[in-house]
Amino acid sequence: MIFLSALQEMMRLEPAMRKMLRLTKREYFAVIKTKGFIAMLILLPILMSGGFIAKKISESRIDTSDKKIAVIDHSSVMAEALVDASEQRNKTDVFDTETGKKQRPSYPIEILTPNTAELRKLRLELSDRIRNGDLHAFVEIGADVIHPGADRQASRVAYHSKNSMTDDVRGWVEWPINNRLRSLRLSDAGIDESEVKDLFHWVAAEGLGLATLNEETGELVDAERTHGIEAIGIPIFMIMTMYMMILIGAQPLLMSVMEEKTQKIAEVILGAIGPFEFMMGKILGIVGVTLTAASFYMIAGIISLNIMGYSKYINYSLLPWYFTYLILALLMYGSVNAALGATCNDSKDVQSVAFPALIPLISCMFMMGPVLKEPMSEFATIVSLLPPFTPLIMMLRQSVPGGVPVWQPWLGVSGMLLFTVFLIWIGGRIFRISILMQGKSLKLKNIIKWGLRG
Amino acid sequence: MDVHMATVELEQVSKTFGSVNAVNTLSMSVPEGSIYGFIGPNGSGKSTTLRMIMNIIYPDSGSIRLFGETITGMDNEQIGYLPEERGLYKNMKVREVLTFLGGLKSGRNVGPEVDTWLEKFDLMDWAGKKVSALSKGMSQKVQFIATVVTKPALIILDEPFSGLDPVNMETLRKAVLELRAAGTTVIFSTHDMNVAENLCDYIFMIFKGNKVLDGTLESIQNTYRSDTIRLRTDGGVSVLNGLSGVESIHDSGQTQELRISSMSNPQEILSQVMARTTVKSFEITKPSLHDIFIRIAGDDEIGASHA
């Protein structure tokens, strides 16, 4: 009986749905056909990876002018270590082995004899030389570095330069010094270095994945090394594209609804179609446009990964989830934006509502780091089950190797569905009431009142 | 089909916005196939009433019936609606936007009808141009076409003639008459009392949310005495000041209208005027719709007190 009346209801609604889809079709093509859409499709990835590209460009433009380092060696046995290391570096790292072109600066070492009486004056002199560019840095090696004692200053290596915290050279300097320190300490302890070659062999813990059982063939599949691409690259790609898609998909709705209101098109449309169908028609148009763009990016991404040889890291089972989250997210954020757009009378109003509506979305970006690091933590789990955050955060958690327990995405999607239906219902009411109201500045409490009472 | 069926029937319809009583227990009956004029000052509840007929706004109380049935949201395929505040998608081409709007309303391809109307309104050259290229008069005509292109049985026009030059106004007027001749019921609201007088079979006036006039022009005028003298003189309005028995003078430049008190004798007034100047024309008549409108809406009382 219920089924029959539901069917009857659907038949009654069928012309309404068809009208709505006509509107959707118009909205969809109105965007797709514009040059702006094609341009955005191509430019967006360039913009988003702008940081990455800039880094690559800056790397290829390294300043190759030499960085001279002055050394004050109180221990009197360390300085040659730096000289040797610098010369070794000149042979291997500074010049390109094929072209002979200088790729990186060399680090010439200038050894100074320490004069304890005039030490502070010497430091000032060296600092001035750094300021006028004659020197890059000066290093003061304490007398007790071989066997560090209570005197802190004598047991340390002090590195002075303009920006010593972020200075690469400071890191480089540590290696030859510590290697020489080891040798010296060994010989002090009377141990022949050649007998204890692997004393300092640091064993890194390699990151591997999990062993699996191939369900078709019954074969055991050994664990494979995890790759940065899998652990970080693909998850970030997916979440960034989804973020972009939601941002660029939902935002224009605000403007578009406001324009239709202020250009008085809204009432003309309402003469033909109900307000709810009007709102949904527009939202579905945006969903269509965004899905088109997202498919484009997914296909481009898959092709690129295949070309780069990373095809085995692609988890195809994520794709249906990706598109589900994207569609629900667009419905969610879209209905909020459409409803708010109906309350706006000019672009100033639009600007003041645009940002608050996006706060949940933007805050996902800040949570990316912690979630990526600890996808199974309580924080990550709870946040991923909150509907405004589910599309991005749950997607992120799912795409990290190891995944999440099966029930969680399903719970997330259910939560999103309910929340989205609720938002569409409220948004529809706000839309219906405000779309024809001109001129009054609409207060938040009025908007909420309409949403709840209709 | 019952030939006396009212196309639109409102019964005791009320609508309040906040503290404002926009429409107050309004009852209205629009006979089928008539041209029904809906007049009233700005803010009187005209647009609200029309929107309720269109089911864009819902009444707080009362009932509205269209073609004999209580309205539901999706029945407005048979109604063409031209809202007072109207716009079109600026970036769409003329023919595109008309086919879209017509298709949205009727669910079918209205291409042939679109072309017929564009032809009739002499807009075929503009069919492929963007809406933004149209002048105001042209876009009004296009909006009118959008309203009628699905051949609705009822059309509601809210201020269709506003801002039109006489030529375009005539085009639209003729179109309305043709539609009526084909059996369409037309409700239109206007501020132009001349048009209302000439075009409408029935007049309905709303003032502050209440009905104040309802009937044919003749029946409305019959509730007033012939208390108006319409005249043209050589001296113009300046010679008419201070005539006894005259309650008010309305100056239209070349013609003046005198409202005379119930006690006075028009013949007597004529002699007064003749004593002052040469009379070119003199007519004793009932007040014009324009005059009636002002009498009702100009005073704060509803329902002019007329003897």
Side-chain angles (χ1 to χ4, degrees), chain A residues 12-13 15-16 18-20 22-27 33 260 262-275 277-278 282 432 436-438 440 454, chain B residues 17 47 51 54-58 72-74 76-77 79 81 83-90 92 96 99-109 143 146:
Chain A
R12 194 178 70 83
L13 289 175
R18 275 192 277 126
K19 287 191 180 192
M20 180 181 78
R22 262 177 196 259
L23 193 79
T24 300
K25 194 169 137 194
R26 189 213 86 90
E27 295 282 316
K33 279 192 192 156
E260 276 171 6
T262 52
Q263 287 174 16
K264 325 279 191 220
I265 297 173
E267 199 168 354
V268 174
I269 301 282
L270 287 175
I273 189 176
E277 287 78 11
F278 185 11
K282 289 188 75 75
R432 176 168 65 82
L436 293 176
M437 278 200 182
Q438 302 279 347
K440 292 190 215 145
Chain B
F17 291 113
S47 292
R51 283 176 180 167
M54 283 304 294
N55 209 27
I56 292 173
I57 298 183
Y58 310 138
T72 56
M74 285 304 118
N76 45 26
E77 182 175 327
I79 315 179
Y81 178 51
E84 184 182 356
E85 311 249 344
R86 45 193 175 247
L88 294 167
Y89 288 110
K90 290 195 167 40
M92 282 181 98
E96 260 177 19
T99 359
F100 168 67
L101 288 172
L104 195 62
K105 197 183 242 318
S106 66
R108 57 189 169 85
N109 177 22
Q143 274 150 350

Coordinates of all heavy atoms in Angstrom, one line a residue, chain A residues 12-13 15-16 18-20 22-27 33 260 262-275 277-278 282 432 436-438 440 454, chain B residues 17 47 51 54-58 72-74 76-77 79 81 83-90 92 96 99-109 143 146:
Chain A
R12 N 2.9 11.7 -9.7 CA 2.4 13.1 -9.7 C 3.5 14.1 -9.8 O 3.4 15.2 -10.4 CB 1.7 13.3 -8.3 CG 0.8 14.6 -8.3 CD 0.1 14.6 -6.9 NE 1.0 14.9 -5.8 CZ 1.4 16.1 -5.5 NH1 1.1 17.1 -6.2 NH2 2.2 16.2 -4.5
L13 N 4.7 13.7 -9.2 CA 5.8 14.6 -9.2 C 6.6 14.6 -10.5 O 7.5 15.4 -10.8 CB 6.8 14.2 -8.1 CG 6.3 14.5 -6.7 CD1 7.3 14.0 -5.7 CD2 6.1 16.0 -6.5
P15 N 6.1 15.3 -13.8 CA 6.2 16.5 -14.6 C 7.1 17.5 -13.9 O 7.9 18.2 -14.5 CB 4.8 17.0 -14.8 CG 3.9 16.2 -13.9 CD 4.7 15.0 -13.5
A16 N 7.0 17.6 -12.6 CA 7.8 18.5 -11.8 C 9.3 18.2 -12.0 O 10.2 19.0 -12.2 CB 7.5 18.5 -10.3
R18 N 10.6 16.6 -14.5 CA 11.1 16.8 -15.8 C 11.3 18.3 -16.0 O 12.3 18.7 -16.7 CB 10.0 16.3 -16.8 CG 10.2 14.9 -17.2 CD 9.3 14.4 -18.4 NE 8.0 14.1 -18.0 CZ 6.9 14.6 -18.6 NH1 7.1 15.5 -19.6 NH2 5.7 14.3 -18.2
K19 N 10.5 19.1 -15.4 CA 10.7 20.6 -15.5 C 12.1 20.9 -14.9 O 12.8 21.7 -15.4 CB 9.6 21.3 -14.8 CG 8.3 21.3 -15.6 CD 7.3 22.3 -14.9 CE 6.0 22.3 -15.7 NZ 5.2 23.4 -15.3
M20 N 12.3 20.3 -13.7 CA 13.5 20.6 -13.0 C 14.7 20.2 -13.9 O 15.7 20.9 -13.9 CB 13.5 19.8 -11.7 CG 14.7 20.0 -10.9 SD 14.7 19.0 -9.4 CE 15.1 17.4 -10.0
R22 N 14.9 20.1 -17.1 CA 15.1 21.0 -18.2 C 15.9 22.2 -17.7 O 16.8 22.7 -18.4 CB 13.7 21.6 -18.6 CG 13.2 20.9 -19.8 CD 11.8 21.4 -20.2 NE 11.2 20.4 -21.1 CZ 11.2 20.6 -22.4 NH1 11.7 21.7 -23.0 NH2 10.6 19.7 -23.2
L23 N 15.6 22.7 -16.5 CA 16.4 23.8 -15.9 C 17.8 23.4 -15.7 O 18.7 24.1 -16.0 CB 15.7 24.2 -14.6 CG 16.2 25.5 -14.0 CD1 15.5 26.7 -14.7 CD2 16.0 25.6 -12.6
T24 N 18.0 22.1 -15.2 CA 19.3 21.6 -15.0 C 20.1 21.6 -16.3 O 21.3 22.0 -16.4 CB 19.2 20.2 -14.4 OG1 18.5 20.2 -13.2 CG2 20.6 19.6 -14.3
K25 N 19.4 21.2 -17.4 CA 20.1 21.1 -18.7 C 20.6 22.5 -19.1 O 21.7 22.7 -19.5 CB 19.1 20.5 -19.7 CG 19.8 20.1 -21.0 CD 18.8 19.3 -21.8 CE 18.8 19.7 -23.3 NZ 17.7 19.2 -24.1
R26 N 19.7 23.5 -18.9 CA 20.1 24.8 -19.3 C 21.2 25.3 -18.5 O 22.2 25.9 -19.0 CB 18.9 25.8 -19.1 CG 19.2 27.2 -19.8 CD 18.5 28.3 -19.0 NE 19.3 28.8 -17.9 CZ 20.2 29.8 -18.0 NH1 20.4 30.4 -19.1 NH2 20.9 30.1 -16.9
E27 N 21.2 25.1 -17.2 CA 22.2 25.6 -16.3 C 23.6 24.9 -16.7 O 24.6 25.5 -16.7 CB 21.9 25.2 -14.8 CG 20.7 25.9 -14.3 CD 21.0 27.4 -13.9 OE1 22.0 27.6 -13.3 OE2 20.1 28.2 -14.3
K33 N 29.5 25.5 -21.9 CA 29.8 26.1 -23.2 C 30.7 27.3 -23.1 O 31.2 27.8 -24.1 CB 28.5 26.5 -23.9 CG 27.8 25.3 -24.6 CD 26.7 25.9 -25.5 CE 25.8 24.7 -26.0 NZ 24.5 25.2 -26.4
E260 N 20.0 36.2 -10.5 CA 18.6 35.9 -11.1 C 17.6 36.6 -10.2 O 16.6 37.0 -10.8 CB 18.4 34.4 -11.0 CG 18.9 33.8 -12.3 CD 18.9 32.3 -12.2 OE1 18.3 31.7 -11.3 OE2 19.5 31.6 -13.1
T262 N 18.2 39.6 -8.6 CA 18.2 41.1 -8.9 C 17.9 41.4 -10.3 O 17.5 42.5 -10.6 CB 19.6 41.6 -8.5 OG1 20.6 40.8 -9.2 CG2 19.8 41.6 -7.1
Q263 N 18.1 40.5 -11.3 CA 17.8 40.8 -12.6 C 16.3 40.4 -12.9 O 15.9 40.4 -14.1 CB 18.7 40.0 -13.6 CG 20.1 40.6 -13.6 CD 21.0 39.8 -14.5 OE1 20.6 38.9 -15.2 NE2 22.3 40.0 -14.3
K264 N 15.6 40.1 -11.9 CA 14.2 39.8 -12.0 C 13.8 38.6 -12.8 O 12.7 38.5 -13.4 CB 13.4 41.0 -12.5 CG 13.9 42.3 -12.0 CD 13.5 42.7 -10.6 CE 13.8 44.1 -10.3 NZ 14.3 44.3 -9.0
I265 N 14.8 37.7 -13.0 CA 14.5 36.5 -13.8 C 13.7 35.5 -12.9 O 12.9 34.7 -13.4 CB 15.8 35.9 -14.3 CG1 16.5 36.9 -15.2 CG2 15.5 34.6 -15.0 CD1 17.8 36.4 -15.7
A266 N 14.0 35.6 -11.6 CA 13.5 34.6 -10.7 C 12.0 34.4 -10.8 O 11.5 33.3 -10.9 CB 13.9 34.9 -9.3
E267 N 11.3 35.5 -10.8 CA 9.8 35.4 -10.8 C 9.3 34.9 -12.1 O 8.3 34.2 -12.2 CB 9.1 36.8 -10.5 CG 7.7 36.6 -10.0 CD 7.1 37.9 -9.4 OE1 7.9 38.8 -9.3 OE2 5.9 37.8 -9.1
V268 N 10.0 35.2 -13.2 CA 9.6 34.7 -14.5 C 9.7 33.1 -14.5 O 8.8 32.4 -14.9 CB 10.5 35.2 -15.6 CG1 10.2 34.6 -16.9 CG2 10.3 36.7 -15.7
I269 N 10.8 32.7 -13.9 CA 11.0 31.2 -13.8 C 9.9 30.6 -12.9 O 9.4 29.5 -13.1 CB 12.4 30.9 -13.3 CG1 13.4 31.5 -14.2 CG2 12.5 29.4 -13.1 CD1 13.7 30.7 -15.4
L270 N 9.6 31.3 -11.8 CA 8.6 30.8 -10.8 C 7.2 30.7 -11.4 O 6.4 30.1 -10.9 CB 8.6 31.7 -9.6 CG 9.8 31.5 -8.7 CD1 9.8 32.4 -7.5 CD2 9.9 30.0 -8.1
G271 N 7.0 31.4 -12.5 CA 5.7 31.3 -13.2 C 5.6 30.0 -13.9 O 4.5 29.6 -14.3
A272 N 6.7 29.3 -14.1 CA 6.7 28.1 -14.8 C 7.0 26.8 -13.9 O 6.6 25.7 -14.3 CB 7.7 28.1 -16.0
I273 N 7.7 27.1 -12.8 CA 8.3 25.9 -12.1 C 8.2 26.3 -10.6 O 8.3 27.5 -10.3 CB 9.7 25.7 -12.6 CG1 10.3 24.4 -12.1 CG2 10.6 26.8 -12.2 CD1 11.6 24.1 -12.6
G274 N 8.1 25.3 -9.7 CA 8.0 25.6 -8.3 C 9.4 26.0 -7.8 O 10.4 25.7 -8.3
P275 N 9.4 26.7 -6.6 CA 10.7 27.2 -6.1 C 11.7 26.1 -5.7 O 12.9 26.2 -5.9 CB 10.3 28.0 -4.8 CG 8.9 27.6 -4.5 CD 8.3 27.1 -5.8
E277 N 11.9 23.1 -7.1 CA 12.4 22.5 -8.4 C 13.4 23.5 -9.0 O 14.4 23.1 -9.6 CB 11.3 22.2 -9.4 CG 10.4 21.0 -9.0 CD 9.4 21.3 -8.0 OE1 9.2 22.5 -7.6 OE2 8.8 20.4 -7.5
F278 N 13.1 24.8 -8.8 CA 14.0 25.8 -9.3 C 15.4 25.7 -8.6 O 16.4 25.6 -9.3 CB 13.4 27.2 -9.0 CG 14.1 28.4 -9.5 CD1 15.1 28.3 -10.4 CD2 13.7 29.7 -9.1 CE1 15.8 29.4 -10.9 CE2 14.4 30.8 -9.6 CZ 15.4 30.7 -10.5
K282 N 19.0 24.1 -10.3 CA 20.3 24.8 -10.4 C 21.4 24.0 -9.7 O 22.5 23.9 -10.2 CB 20.2 26.2 -9.7 CG 19.3 27.2 -10.5 CD 19.4 28.5 -9.9 CE 20.7 29.2 -10.1 NZ 20.8 29.7 -11.5
R432 N 12.6 29.8 -1.2 CA 11.3 30.2 -1.6 C 10.8 31.6 -1.1 O 10.3 32.4 -1.8 CB 10.3 29.1 -1.1 CG 8.8 29.4 -1.5 CD 7.9 28.2 -1.3 NE 7.8 27.8 0.1 CZ 7.1 28.3 1.0 NH1 6.3 29.3 0.7 NH2 7.0 27.9 2.3
L436 N 12.0 36.3 -3.7 CA 11.2 37.4 -4.2 C 11.3 38.7 -3.4 O 10.8 39.7 -3.7 CB 9.7 37.0 -4.4 CG 9.5 36.0 -5.4 CD1 8.0 35.6 -5.4 CD2 9.9 36.5 -6.8
M437 N 12.0 38.6 -2.2 CA 12.0 39.8 -1.3 C 13.1 40.7 -1.8 O 14.3 40.3 -1.8 CB 12.3 39.3 0.1 CG 11.1 38.9 0.8 SD 11.5 38.9 2.5 CE 10.0 38.3 3.1
Q438 N 12.8 41.9 -2.1 CA 13.8 42.8 -2.5 C 14.1 43.8 -1.4 O 13.2 44.2 -0.7 CB 13.2 43.6 -3.8 CG 12.8 42.7 -4.9 CD 14.0 42.3 -5.7 OE1 15.1 42.8 -5.6 NE2 13.8 41.3 -6.6
K440 N 15.1 44.5 1.4 CA 15.4 44.5 2.9 C 16.7 43.8 3.2 O 17.0 42.8 2.6 CB 14.2 43.7 3.6 CG 12.9 44.3 3.5 CD 11.9 43.6 4.4 CE 10.5 43.6 3.7 NZ 9.8 42.4 4.0
G454 N 8.9 27.9 7.6 CA 8.4 28.0 6.3 C 7.5 29.2 6.1 O 6.8 29.3 5.1
Chain B
F17 N 1.9 40.0 5.8 CA 3.4 39.9 5.9 C 3.8 40.7 7.2 O 3.7 41.9 7.2 CB 4.0 40.6 4.7 CG 3.8 39.9 3.4 CD1 3.0 40.5 2.4 CD2 4.4 38.7 3.2 CE1 2.8 39.9 1.2 CE2 4.2 38.0 2.0 CZ 3.4 38.6 1.0
S47 N 0.1 42.9 -6.7 CA 1.1 41.9 -7.1 C 0.9 40.7 -6.2 O 1.1 39.6 -6.6 CB 2.5 42.5 -7.1 OG 2.6 43.4 -8.1
R51 N 0.3 37.0 -7.4 CA 1.2 35.9 -7.0 C 0.5 34.8 -6.3 O 0.9 33.6 -6.5 CB 2.3 36.4 -6.1 CG 3.4 37.2 -6.9 CD 4.4 37.7 -5.9 NE 5.4 38.5 -6.6 CZ 6.3 39.3 -6.0 NH1 6.2 39.4 -4.7 NH2 7.2 39.9 -6.7
M54 N -1.0 32.7 -8.9 CA 0.0 31.9 -9.5 C 0.6 30.8 -8.6 O 1.4 30.1 -9.0 CB 1.1 32.8 -10.0 CG 0.8 33.5 -11.3 SD 0.4 32.4 -12.6 CE 1.9 31.5 -12.8
N55 N 0.1 30.8 -7.3 CA 0.7 29.9 -6.4 C 2.1 30.1 -6.1 O 2.8 29.2 -5.7 CB 0.4 28.4 -6.8 CG 0.2 27.5 -5.6 OD1 -0.2 27.9 -4.5 ND2 0.6 26.2 -5.8
I56 N 2.6 31.3 -6.3 CA 4.0 31.6 -5.9 C 4.0 32.0 -4.5 O 5.0 31.7 -3.8 CB 4.5 32.7 -6.8 CG1 4.7 32.3 -8.2 CG2 5.9 33.2 -6.3 CD1 5.0 33.4 -9.2
I57 N 3.0 32.6 -4.0 CA 2.8 32.9 -2.6 C 1.6 32.2 -2.1 O 0.6 32.0 -2.9 CB 2.6 34.4 -2.3 CG1 3.9 35.2 -2.8 CG2 2.4 34.7 -0.9 CD1 3.7 36.7 -2.5
Y58 N 1.6 31.7 -0.9 CA 0.4 31.0 -0.4 C -0.5 31.9 0.5 O 0.1 32.6 1.4 CB 0.8 29.7 0.4 CG 1.9 28.9 -0.4 CD1 2.9 28.3 0.3 CD2 1.8 28.6 -1.7 CE1 3.9 27.6 -0.3 CE2 2.7 27.9 -2.4 CZ 3.8 27.3 -1.7 OH 4.7 26.6 -2.3
T72 N -3.0 23.6 -7.4 CA -1.8 23.0 -6.8 C -0.7 23.6 -7.6 O -0.8 24.2 -8.6 CB -1.8 21.5 -7.1 OG1 -2.0 21.2 -8.5 CG2 -3.0 20.8 -6.3
G73 N 0.5 23.3 -7.1 CA 1.7 24.0 -7.7 C 1.9 23.8 -9.2 O 2.3 24.7 -9.9
M74 N 1.6 22.6 -9.6 CA 2.0 22.3 -11.0 C 0.9 22.6 -12.1 O 1.1 22.2 -13.2 CB 2.4 20.9 -11.1 CG 3.8 20.7 -10.5 SD 5.0 21.7 -11.2 CE 5.5 22.7 -9.8
N76 N 0.1 25.4 -13.3 CA 0.2 26.6 -14.0 C 0.7 26.5 -15.4 O 1.1 27.5 -16.0 CB 0.9 27.7 -13.2 CG 2.2 27.1 -12.6 OD1 2.8 26.2 -13.2 ND2 2.6 27.7 -11.5
E77 N 0.6 25.3 -16.0 CA 0.9 25.2 -17.4 C -0.1 26.0 -18.2 O 0.2 26.5 -19.3 CB 0.9 23.7 -17.8 CG 1.3 23.6 -19.3 CD 1.5 22.1 -19.7 OE1 1.9 21.3 -18.8 OE2 1.2 21.8 -20.8
I79 N -1.5 28.7 -17.4 CA -1.5 30.1 -17.1 C -0.2 30.7 -17.6 O 0.9 30.3 -17.3 CB -1.6 30.4 -15.6 CG1 -2.7 29.5 -15.0 CG2 -1.9 31.8 -15.4 CD1 -2.8 29.7 -13.5
Y81 N 2.2 34.0 -17.2 CA 2.4 35.0 -16.2 C 3.5 35.9 -16.5 O 4.6 35.5 -16.8 CB 2.7 34.3 -14.8 CG 3.0 35.2 -13.7 CD1 2.1 36.2 -13.3 CD2 4.1 35.0 -12.9 CE1 2.3 37.1 -12.3 CE2 4.3 35.8 -11.8 CZ 3.4 36.9 -11.5 OH 3.7 37.7 -10.4
P83 N 5.3 38.8 -14.7 CA 5.4 39.5 -13.5 C 5.8 41.0 -13.7 O 6.3 41.4 -14.8 CB 6.5 38.8 -12.7 CG 7.3 38.1 -13.7 CD 6.4 37.9 -14.9
E84 N 5.5 41.8 -12.7 CA 5.8 43.2 -12.9 C 7.3 43.5 -13.0 O 7.7 44.2 -13.8 CB 5.2 44.0 -11.7 CG 5.4 45.5 -11.7 CD 4.9 46.2 -10.5 OE1 4.3 45.5 -9.6 OE2 5.0 47.4 -10.4
E85 N 8.0 42.8 -12.1 CA 9.5 42.9 -12.2 C 9.9 41.7 -13.0 O 9.8 40.6 -12.6 CB 10.1 42.8 -10.8 CG 9.4 43.7 -9.8 CD 10.3 44.8 -9.4 OE1 11.6 44.7 -9.6 OE2 9.8 45.8 -8.8
R86 N 10.4 42.0 -14.2 CA 10.7 40.8 -15.1 C 12.0 41.0 -15.8 O 12.4 42.1 -16.1 CB 9.6 40.7 -16.1 CG 9.2 42.0 -16.7 CD 7.9 42.0 -17.5 NE 7.5 43.3 -18.0 CZ 6.4 43.9 -17.5 NH1 5.7 43.4 -16.6 NH2 6.2 45.1 -18.0
G87 N 12.7 39.9 -16.0 CA 14.0 40.0 -16.7 C 14.2 38.7 -17.5 O 13.4 37.8 -17.4
L88 N 15.2 38.7 -18.3 CA 15.5 37.5 -19.1 C 17.0 37.2 -18.9 O 17.8 38.1 -18.6 CB 15.2 37.8 -20.6 CG 13.7 38.0 -20.9 CD1 13.6 38.6 -22.3 CD2 13.0 36.7 -20.8
Y89 N 17.4 36.0 -19.2 CA 18.8 35.6 -19.2 C 19.5 36.4 -20.3 O 19.3 36.2 -21.5 CB 19.0 34.2 -19.5 CG 18.5 33.3 -18.4 CD1 17.4 32.5 -18.5 CD2 19.2 33.2 -17.2 CE1 17.0 31.7 -17.4 CE2 18.8 32.4 -16.1 CZ 17.7 31.7 -16.3 OH 17.3 30.9 -15.2
K90 N 20.4 37.3 -19.8 CA 21.0 38.3 -20.8 C 21.9 37.6 -21.8 O 22.1 38.1 -22.9 CB 21.8 39.3 -20.0 CG 21.0 40.3 -19.2 CD 21.8 41.5 -18.8 CE 20.9 42.6 -18.3 NZ 19.8 42.3 -17.5
M92 N 21.5 34.6 -23.2 CA 20.9 33.7 -24.1 C 20.4 34.4 -25.3 O 20.1 35.6 -25.3 CB 19.7 33.0 -23.4 CG 20.1 31.9 -22.5 SD 18.6 31.1 -21.7 CE 18.5 29.7 -22.8
E96 N 16.4 31.2 -28.2 CA 16.8 30.2 -27.2 C 16.0 30.4 -25.9 O 15.5 29.5 -25.3 CB 18.2 30.3 -26.9 CG 19.1 29.3 -27.5 CD 20.6 29.6 -27.2 OE1 20.9 30.3 -26.2 OE2 21.4 29.1 -27.9
T99 N 12.3 29.5 -26.3 CA 12.1 28.1 -26.4 C 12.3 27.4 -25.0 O 11.6 26.5 -24.6 CB 13.0 27.3 -27.4 OG1 13.8 28.3 -28.0 CG2 12.2 26.6 -28.4
F100 N 13.3 27.9 -24.3 CA 13.6 27.4 -23.0 C 12.4 27.7 -22.0 O 11.9 26.7 -21.4 CB 14.8 28.0 -22.4 CG 15.0 27.7 -20.9 CD1 15.3 26.5 -20.5 CD2 14.9 28.8 -20.0 CE1 15.4 26.2 -19.1 CE2 15.1 28.5 -18.7 CZ 15.3 27.2 -18.2
L101 N 12.0 28.9 -22.0 CA 10.9 29.3 -21.1 C 9.6 28.5 -21.4 O 8.9 28.0 -20.6 CB 10.7 30.8 -21.0 CG 11.8 31.6 -20.3 CD1 11.6 33.1 -20.5 CD2 11.8 31.2 -18.8
G102 N 9.3 28.5 -22.7 CA 8.1 27.8 -23.2 C 8.2 26.3 -22.9 O 7.2 25.7 -22.4
G103 N 9.4 25.7 -23.1 CA 9.6 24.3 -22.8 C 9.5 24.0 -21.3 O 9.0 23.0 -20.9
L104 N 10.0 24.9 -20.5 CA 10.0 24.8 -19.1 C 8.5 24.7 -18.6 O 8.2 23.9 -17.7 CB 10.7 25.9 -18.4 CG 11.1 25.8 -17.0 CD1 12.1 24.7 -16.8 CD2 11.7 27.1 -16.5
K105 N 7.7 25.5 -19.2 CA 6.3 25.6 -18.7 C 5.5 24.4 -19.2 O 4.7 23.8 -18.5 CB 5.7 26.9 -19.2 CG 4.4 27.2 -18.5 CD 3.8 28.5 -19.1 CE 3.7 29.6 -18.1 NZ 3.3 29.4 -16.8
S106 N 5.7 24.1 -20.5 CA 4.8 23.2 -21.2 C 5.3 21.8 -21.3 O 4.6 20.8 -21.6 CB 4.3 23.7 -22.5 OG 5.5 23.7 -23.4
G107 N 6.6 21.6 -21.2 CA 7.3 20.3 -21.4 C 7.4 19.9 -22.9 O 7.7 18.8 -23.2
R108 N 7.1 20.8 -23.8 CA 7.2 20.5 -25.2 C 8.0 21.5 -25.9 O 8.3 22.6 -25.4 CB 5.8 20.2 -25.8 CG 4.9 21.5 -25.7 CD 3.5 21.2 -26.1 NE 2.7 22.3 -25.7 CZ 2.5 23.4 -26.5 NH1 3.1 23.5 -27.7 NH2 1.7 24.3 -26.1
N109 N 8.2 21.2 -27.2 CA 9.0 22.1 -28.0 C 8.1 23.2 -28.6 O 7.2 22.9 -29.4 CB 9.7 21.3 -29.2 CG 10.4 22.3 -30.1 OD1 10.8 23.4 -29.7 ND2 10.6 21.8 -31.3
Q143 N 9.3 39.4 -23.6 CA 8.7 38.9 -22.4 C 7.3 38.6 -22.6 O 6.8 37.6 -22.0 CB 8.9 39.9 -21.3 CG 10.2 39.7 -20.6 CD 10.8 41.0 -20.0 OE1 10.2 42.1 -20.3 NE2 11.8 40.9 -19.3
A146 N 7.0 35.3 -24.3 CA 7.3 34.2 -23.3 C 6.1 33.8 -22.5 O 5.9 32.7 -22.2 CB 8.5 34.6 -22.4

